[in-house]
Amino acid sequence: MLTKTPLKTVCDNLLLTRTGDVWAYYRIAPTNINSGDIKQKEAFKKKFRFFIEQLEGYKNFDLEMMPKQMNLNRRNQELEKDFDTTLKIIGKYYNRETERILENELNTITRNQFILGVKLKENVFENDDMKSIVQNSIASVTDTILNVLNMSREVGDDFFERFKVYEKELYQLTMGVNGRRLSEDELIYLNRYNFIRDMQHSIEEESQKRALYNITNTLIDPSTAMGYLKLTTPEGERWLTHVVINDMTLDMNYTHIFERAQKFSFPVEFKIKANFKTKEAVLRKASLTKTRVRQMASEKIKTGDDIEDAVKDTRFVLNRLESQLNSQNQKFIEWMGTFCVTGATKEECRHRAKQVIRTLTNKKIECVQPLADQLQLFYKFLPGHSLAFEKHWMQQTPSVAFAENLFGVSQQLGNNAGFYLGRINRYLNNNTIADSIASSRDVVLFHPFIANKGIEGAMTDSPHISITGETGKGKSFLVKMLLMFLAMLDVKTLYIDPKSEVEMWFKRVLEDDDMRRKYPLFIQLIEGFSYVTLNGNDSANHGVLDPIVMLKGTDAKDTAQSIVEQIYNLDDKDDIKRVFLRTLTEVITERSLGQSVGFRTVVERMRAHDEKVVSDAGELLHEQIKNSVLQLVFSDGEVKGLDLKSKVNVIGIEGLDLPDSSVNSKDYSDGERKSLALMIPLAKFCETFGMQNKNQETVEIFDEGWMLTTARAGKKLIKQMRRVGRSYNNALILVTQSVKDVNTDDDNGNFGVNFAFDEKSERKDILRFLNLEVEEEHENVNEELLANMIKGECYFKDIYGRIGKIAVDCLFEEWMYAFKTVEKSHSSRAEKMFE
């Protein structure tokens, strides 16, 4: 019975077994492929098949997906270094609460790692001189004898040096699949993990254990319950069972076992032990099997019975196998795969194992939970064991079929350290956002101000973020979560809120005695927000957005011209346009010389002009400005501009007449055109805000950004805001309904991070923007996934270019209370109550 760990000792990423075998271990960085991206998956399979075939000379290899603890506390400690020093107590509180809540929901917070182990060539000493060969042969025989006697021989420091040259050759191969050597600590932990699984433990402490007794210090009890192992350690107790693959479909197309193993809402390991079979041995066995099949078919014909489908299928598979091995020169792999399922109790372990079996059965992958072989399976799948003389549960496939397992493919998203944003969701649909969150254990961390820091492996250095999608899908909720994150960071933030909702809802929290008593730290955080409400009817606000006061030179002229063109059509009116531009230039020059003039000065001079057509235009502009929101833009030059000194500044505008995004711009009313004109100086103000201090990190959140693109100069303004970007330590978060508002060919100003909520009329455009597969004539998997997204779900593209569906998850009820955008009525509650 196999009940002994193969480990003898380790050196760097090399493991020496009791029998003298040496294995090399590597961590394979996962390749992120969206669940619906079939083309990328097929391309990955070809690449992985090519890699795996190059391992034929090594014969034995292991593949493992391990749910490794994330150590969220350690990651949060790094995040806290970016916190505003005056708010660290608040930030640390929310970090600790995040850890507590997630650990309560998930028990152990994990992120899957992919491990490759390869047994180094058996003829590793073929180039040694005769003396070395004799010495090594004696050492190998001695190791075998000592292993039988449960003893071991000391290994000299120079022992592993003999293998370095062969390991280097292997390492060059693994680099082709994003492999890197495991460190010695990581290799120790890989062995120790098998004995502690998902019990709470310190990875750093467990990685330092070198004595074999400490690594295997676990009581493994196979007798308490058939089909289960009870693991008892100083760290705690777990129940473990192996669910082994017993049979698969004939062609193995789209089995994607490693991908499927990541979809469970509990931690699951999947391991494969494999070796290569020689072409001659496989053909010989195939020939013998074909002979038996022919005999069975012949006997059926003689007795008048029909040949069974199973016989026909076997004949087809054998013929295809011979073709693959002969003409296509494919390699043949023999392997065994098992899911390692754990639970805090036997009942939990049993329930999870049944779920694994049921899920795989639905994909025509037959799995079994052996009753009497659990202990042998435990030791069989430890690092360093090779497949030898195995009879049960063996799968035999050509390399092209083996690649269908999709080892190393993941949907990991977000940053390695950051705020908790939500969960990755790989399922097509969920009824509620709570179900969506509960269906996944893959947490998404997000740092809203990190892209421009030169992150290794990032696909972009653009700090800008786009949030798109139709109203009611969750954009506003996500924006307010990002606002909370930014509030805790050492970042100065400007939030443009055209609907004036943020101040209303946040002040409602501040006025709530119950909230103040229960959540004093949250109250302290949002009390630091500064609100500026611009009201066209308040004379104190008149001219605060005057472009001539706020800006200089060409910026002032271009902005002022854009505002006028939004409310007054200058087409085919060259006389008026000439005088307007000349007067505008004069006033800007006077302003630069210290005179108290402003945008209203331009209008007044046009009113007083000798040419009637010009004076009439001036009169019309004067009437349009009077008693409207445009009074915020026009001044005589004596008004002081906005001065935002607070850390978080929220600018709202009263009296805006916002058009619906679906209305054609030609059908806008005068009030709607004036409101859109106001967006132009607001955008320029955002740009100047970001350029105030290169040493101060700044962020502008521009809500309802679609109104900018509706204005004539809007797209140009968005581009200008983006250009501030990296050189000024500035980021723009643009919130808009249409993905077309952020889809640009200007590579220098692309948004580094994208959140795309559903918009029914733009689904194919959204997929194209995210570089996902699109079927022009039909709805593909990606589009179906988008169409089935409920409120709170969106596509997320991170700084590494990885794309996937996430469910936005806020853990704190005080935040959710403040994030409300509508108040439920009695009727709406009744509608939900009686559904």
Side-chain angles (χ1 to χ4, degrees):
M1 179 182 292
L2 186 68
T3 56
K4 186 181 294 184
T5 178
L7 173 65
K8 180 175 183 177
T9 188
V10 301
C11 178
D12 298 328
N13 69 318
L14 299 180
L15 180 151
L16 174 65
T17 71
R18 293 171 179 267
T19 56
D21 295 332
V22 175
W23 287 69
Y25 283 89
Y26 306 88
R27 190 176 81 186
I28 307 300
T31 299
N32 187 273
I33 302 178
N34 183 264
S35 57
D37 202 328
I38 297 173
K39 289 183 180 178
Q40 279 200 41
K41 287 182 181 178
E42 294 306 309
F44 176 87
K45 292 173 190 177
K46 290 180 181 179
K47 179 181 177 181
F48 185 75
R49 172 194 163 190
F50 176 74
F51 164 74
I52 214 71
E53 287 177 346
Q54 294 180 84
L55 299 181
E56 184 183 23
Y58 299 92
K59 191 175 180 181
N60 293 277
F61 65 92
D62 296 349
L63 302 178
E64 177 176 346
M65 186 188 78
M66 179 180 74
K68 186 178 180 182
Q69 288 189 13
M70 286 183 63
N71 195 344
L72 193 57
N73 180 264
R74 176 72 179 276
R75 295 168 190 258
N76 281 340
Q77 288 176 13
E78 293 301 312
L79 173 64
E80 288 161 11
K81 294 177 181 179
D82 290 340
F83 283 178
D84 187 310
T85 54
T86 64
L87 298 171
K88 279 202 170 182
I89 293 177
I90 298 174
K92 287 182 177 181
Y93 164 76
Y94 278 111
N95 274 353
R96 300 296 88 77
E97 279 295 283
T98 297
E99 295 162 18
R100 181 186 66 80
I101 295 170
L102 288 179
E103 287 171 1
N104 183 58
E105 292 179 358
L106 301 174
N107 185 34
T108 305
I109 306 168
T110 60
R111 180 169 286 178
N112 289 313
Q113 278 195 351
F114 295 90
I115 306 296
L116 166 69
V118 180
K119 183 179 176 181
L120 292 181
K121 294 179 180 179
E122 294 181 354
N123 59 350
V124 68
F125 301 116
E126 63 182 3
N127 294 324
D128 287 1
D129 58 27
M130 185 58 65
K131 181 179 178 181
S132 296
I133 292 174
V134 172
Q135 289 176 340
N136 290 324
S137 298
I138 294 172
S140 179
V141 172
T142 303
D143 280 338
T144 303
I145 295 172
L146 290 174
N147 185 51
V148 172
L149 297 175
N150 199 26
M151 300 168 64
S152 64
R153 181 171 61 89
E154 291 298 321
V155 177
D157 293 338
D158 62 340
F159 176 82
F160 287 98
E161 291 301 320
R162 313 170 195 172
F163 300 89
K164 293 294 185 180
V165 64
Y166 300 99
E167 190 280 332
K168 184 177 180 180
E169 177 186 334
L170 176 58
Y171 177 56
Q172 295 298 321
L173 290 179
T174 64
M175 289 175 67
V177 288
N178 302 319
R180 75 158 184 81
R181 296 180 176 104
L182 288 187
S183 68
E184 190 166 296
D185 284 351
E186 289 173 327
L187 185 51
I188 288 291
Y189 180 73
L190 178 66
N191 282 270
R192 176 59 178 158
Y193 176 80
N194 291 275
F195 295 88
I196 52 178
R197 304 291 174 171
D198 59 339
M199 303 177 202
Q200 287 293 338
H201 60 270
S202 166
I203 293 177
E204 289 76 14
E205 291 179 8
E206 301 300 330
S207 300
Q208 296 302 313
K209 295 180 177 179
R210 290 297 187 269
L212 188 59
Y213 170 80
N214 290 330
I215 294 173
T216 62
N217 185 24
T218 297
L219 177 62
I220 306 172
D221 181 6
S223 62
T224 303
M226 294 288 286
Y228 299 89
L229 299 176
K230 185 178 180 181
L231 308 182
T232 305
T233 77
E235 286 74 26
E237 181 180 287
R238 275 295 181 276
W239 289 81
L240 166 69
T241 190
H242 294 83
V243 175
V244 189
I245 293 177
N246 188 51
D247 197 13
M248 307 187 73
T249 57
L250 291 175
D251 56 14
M252 281 186 66
N253 282 343
Y254 310 115
T255 49
H256 298 179
I257 300 177
F258 279 98
E259 183 183 46
R260 300 188 194 284
Q262 299 172 61
K263 291 187 176 182
F264 296 104
S265 59
F266 47 87
V268 171
E269 303 164 49
F270 183 63
K271 300 183 178 186
I272 284 179
K273 291 278 184 180
N275 62 38
F276 286 88
K277 304 293 290 185
T278 64
K279 175 181 176 180
E280 293 73 18
V282 176
L283 289 174
R284 186 166 52 251
K285 187 172 183 179
S287 179
L288 292 173
T289 305
K290 284 181 70 175
T291 300
R292 289 198 299 269
V293 170
R294 281 196 297 267
Q295 291 173 348
M296 291 172 59
S298 178
E299 291 174 2
K300 290 285 186 181
I301 294 172
K302 287 179 181 179
T303 58
D305 294 334
D306 293 332
I307 301 176
E308 295 176 356
D309 289 341
V311 175
K312 296 178 182 179
D313 290 342
T314 303
R315 183 188 298 170
F316 169 77
V317 171
L318 290 170
N319 288 333
R320 190 177 67 170
L321 175 61
E322 288 182 337
S323 173
Q324 289 173 330
L325 292 175
N326 286 321
S327 61
Q328 301 177 31
N329 197 30
Q330 285 200 30
K331 313 303 181 183
F332 197 81
I333 300 172
E334 191 174 49
W335 57 280
M336 181 189 298
T338 186
F339 294 88
C340 300
V341 183
T342 61
T345 64
K346 190 188 80 170
E347 184 60 28
E348 182 179 57
C349 187
R350 183 185 69 83
H351 173 75
R352 291 176 173 181
K354 283 190 172 183
Q355 187 173 337
V356 170
I357 293 171
R358 183 171 61 251
T359 300
L360 273 294
T361 299
N362 291 337
K363 301 302 178 182
K364 298 182 180 179
I365 303 172
E366 180 188 326
C367 296
V368 295
Q369 182 185 357
L371 294 178
D373 300 292
Q374 291 292 330
L375 188 60
Q376 292 94 312
L377 287 168
F378 177 90
Y379 284 98
K380 190 187 300 289
F381 279 92
L382 290 178
H385 262 312
S386 304
L387 284 181
F389 311 112
E390 308 296 345
K391 296 181 179 179
H392 305 295
W393 312 304
M394 296 299 296
Q395 311 302 316
Q396 300 178 351
T397 57
S399 54
V400 66
F402 186 81
E404 291 288 330
N405 290 320
L406 275 188
F407 173 77
V409 168
S410 176
Q411 280 84 51
Q412 181 177 318
L413 295 170
N415 301 114
N416 295 320
F419 298 94
Y420 171 70
L421 185 69
R423 311 272 181 93
I424 297 171
N425 188 314
R426 298 180 176 87
Y427 292 95
L428 181 62
N429 53 49
N430 294 96
N431 293 325
T432 67
I433 191 65
D435 291 339
S436 180
I437 294 165
S439 70
S440 170
R441 59 177 294 103
D442 297 311
V443 303
V444 179
L445 304 180
F446 181 63
H447 195 304
F449 207 104
I450 200 173
N452 66 336
K453 306 303 181 184
I455 303 299
E456 184 177 352
M459 299 293 289
T460 178
D461 59 5
S462 170
H464 307 308
I465 300 170
S466 72
I467 303 175
T468 64
E470 67 178 284
T471 302
K473 287 294 186 179
K475 296 195 308 295
S476 295
F477 191 93
L478 173 61
V479 171
K480 292 181 180 70
M481 276 189 67
L482 299 187
L483 180 63
M484 293 297 104
F485 300 160
L486 291 166
M488 288 183 273
L489 295 172
D490 188 16
V491 176
K492 190 173 181 180
T493 305
L494 170 62
Y495 189 131
I496 302 296
D497 179 28
K499 293 182 179 180
S500 296
E501 290 181 344
V502 174
E503 179 180 7
M504 178 183 69
W505 289 101
F506 279 26
K507 285 192 172 180
R508 187 187 67 166
V509 174
L510 294 175
E511 295 166 0
D512 189 315
D513 292 337
D514 190 48
M515 292 291 289
R516 298 187 70 88
R517 184 178 67 257
K518 291 172 64 176
Y519 307 110
L521 290 178
F522 180 61
I523 295 297
Q524 182 182 339
L525 179 66
I526 63 175
E527 275 183 334
F529 291 11
S530 175
Y531 301 97
V532 176
T533 302
L534 302 180
N535 190 335
N537 295 321
D538 185 351
S539 59
N541 291 160
H542 290 179
V544 292
L545 292 175
D546 189 330
I548 296 176
V549 174
M550 185 171 61
L551 305 169
K552 297 179 181 179
T554 56
D555 278 346
K557 184 173 182 178
D558 290 345
T559 304
Q561 182 179 346
S562 297
I563 293 170
V564 169
E565 288 179 341
Q566 185 66 32
I567 59 174
Y568 185 88
N569 187 1
L570 289 171
D571 295 342
D572 300 323
K573 298 175 183 177
D574 291 348
D575 291 342
I576 299 173
K577 189 172 184 178
R578 184 186 66 253
V579 175
F580 165 67
L581 293 177
R582 183 193 302 153
T583 307
L584 183 58
T585 301
E586 292 171 354
V587 171
I588 291 172
T589 302
E590 291 170 11
R591 179 76 187 180
S592 68
L593 296 174
Q595 297 184 36
S596 294
V597 290
F599 202 4
R600 187 182 293 277
T601 308
V602 176
V603 176
E604 293 303 318
R605 290 182 183 180
M606 289 181 67
R607 291 176 69 193
H609 200 274
D610 294 338
E611 296 182 34
K612 188 175 187 306
V613 66
V614 175
S615 63
D616 286 347
E619 289 293 342
L620 178 58
L621 286 173
H622 174 75
E623 292 301 320
Q624 285 183 305
I625 296 166
K626 189 167 58 177
N627 298 325
S628 77
V629 292
L630 290 178
Q631 292 179 117
L632 299 170
V633 182
F634 291 84
S635 78
D636 296 323
E638 296 181 356
V639 67
K640 290 185 177 180
L642 292 177
D643 186 14
L644 306 181
K645 296 181 180 179
S646 299
K647 184 178 181 300
V648 178
N649 306 274
V650 181
I651 296 181
I653 305 101
E654 288 287 343
L656 281 186
D657 184 9
L658 301 179
D660 190 274
S661 61
S662 61
V663 176
N664 191 299
S665 59
K666 295 180 181 179
D667 300 323
Y668 288 163
S669 66
D670 285 342
E672 290 169 341
R673 292 183 186 280
K674 293 174 183 177
S675 297
L676 293 175
L678 193 62
M679 296 299 104
I680 296 171
L682 273 175
K684 288 301 294 185
F685 181 76
C686 286
E687 184 183 348
T688 56
F689 175 84
M691 297 174 66
Q692 288 176 349
N693 184 354
K694 285 188 176 183
N695 298 319
Q696 170 68 61
E697 293 181 339
T698 53
V699 175
E700 300 91 49
I701 303 174
F702 205 106
D703 210 343
E704 302 294 339
W706 63 270
M707 291 189 293
L708 266 183
T709 58
T710 301
R712 290 189 180 187
K715 290 184 179 180
K716 181 180 177 181
L717 286 168
I718 291 174
K719 186 181 294 186
Q720 289 172 343
M721 283 191 285
R722 293 203 314 267
R723 283 177 177 170
V724 175
R726 187 176 184 182
S727 60
Y728 281 89
N729 261 329
N730 173 260
L732 168 68
I733 301 178
L734 187 66
V735 188
T736 183
Q737 296 187 20
S738 175
V739 73
K740 296 174 183 176
D741 295 338
V742 295
N743 195 358
T744 173
D745 294 329
D746 181 7
D747 293 333
N748 294 324
N750 279 345
F751 289 85
V753 171
N754 308 105
F755 296 93
F757 292 84
D758 182 33
E759 168 55 67
K760 185 176 181 179
S761 63
E762 295 187 347
R763 285 172 183 158
K764 294 187 189 298
D765 291 323
I766 293 171
L767 298 180
R768 278 190 284 265
F769 173 60
L770 296 173
N771 294 320
L772 292 174
E773 280 188 50
V774 182
E775 293 288 343
E776 298 298 338
E777 303 298 327
H778 307 283
E779 181 183 272
N780 66 0
V781 176
N782 291 324
E783 192 170 347
E784 188 179 4
L785 194 69
L786 185 59
N788 281 280
M789 286 184 185
I790 58 177
K791 183 176 181 178
E793 294 179 339
C794 66
Y795 269 127
F796 170 42
K797 182 177 181 180
D798 65 18
I799 62 172
Y800 301 100
R802 303 175 302 197
I803 306 165
K805 172 185 172 183
I806 67 168
V808 178
D809 182 21
C810 179
L811 300 178
F812 314 113
E813 64 176 27
E814 65 271 28
W815 289 22
M816 289 189 285
Y817 181 73
F819 294 173
K820 285 183 179 180
T821 54
V822 294
E823 191 71 80
K824 289 185 178 179
S825 66
H826 294 295
S827 299
S828 66
R829 293 190 184 96
E831 188 71 16
K832 178 67 177 176
M833 185 184 304
F834 299 110
E835 65 181 4

